[in-house]
Amino acid sequence: MLLTLVVFGVGIMKSFFTPERTRQVLAGKRESVGSVLAALLGIVTPFCSCSAVPLFIGFVTAGVPLGVTFSFLVSAPMVNEIAVVLLFGLFGWKIAALYMGTGLLIAMISGWIIGRLHVEKHVEP
């Protein structure tokens, strides 16, 4: 019953985060702020890795910096809010926080590295 309620609640929450809304939030932000926001938005947006790639292309086309976009691309399939709730229920808040914190940290560091490499010139138009 708890799993059903969590999945239902997450489904309702995800219906408010469309690709357009996510793109509006990320566009025009500094890279440091944008990377944190992108990693956090990657958690709550309804995108798996198969739909994150077309969204990645939309972000790059919209002018979102590549490092910020990469933070989103890593975070979206890596950190799952349903897994956070289940880990909290099964193992406690420390394990759930460790899972979420590690996923966010990996996403932000990978975005920062890609941003520092300045590989925008290698991205197809």
Side-chain angles (χ1 to χ4, degrees):
M1 188 63 150
L2 178 62
L3 180 61
T4 304
L5 289 173
V6 168
V7 170
F8 179 74
V10 168
I12 296 293
M13 182 181 66
K14 284 186 172 188
S15 68
F16 293 105
F17 285 96
T18 63
E20 293 78 24
R21 175 177 260 177
T22 306
R23 194 175 303 132
Q24 288 172 352
V25 169
L26 294 179
K29 300 282 190 266
R30 290 185 334 186
E31 188 176 5
S32 57
V33 173
S35 184
V36 173
L37 282 176
L40 290 172
L41 281 173
I43 295 173
V44 296
T45 50
F47 312 116
C48 64
S49 57
C50 58
S51 61
V53 173
L55 195 57
F56 168 81
I57 294 169
F59 286 165
V60 171
T61 306
V64 177
L66 195 58
V68 173
T69 304
F70 201 80
S71 291
F72 177 84
L73 188 65
V74 170
S75 176
M78 181 181 278
V79 182
N80 186 336
E81 65 279 347
I82 294 174
V84 170
V85 172
L86 287 175
L87 285 171
F88 176 75
L90 292 172
F91 301 109
W93 69 269
K94 291 179 183 178
I95 298 296
L98 181 66
Y99 166 75
M100 194 162 97
T102 304
L104 287 173
L105 188 65
I106 290 171
M108 289 186 280
I109 289 173
S110 62
W112 180 80
I113 290 171
I114 291 294
R116 294 297 157 269
L117 292 175
H118 302 291
V119 294
E120 286 85 2
K121 60 183 173 272
H122 299 293
V123 177
E124 291 288 327

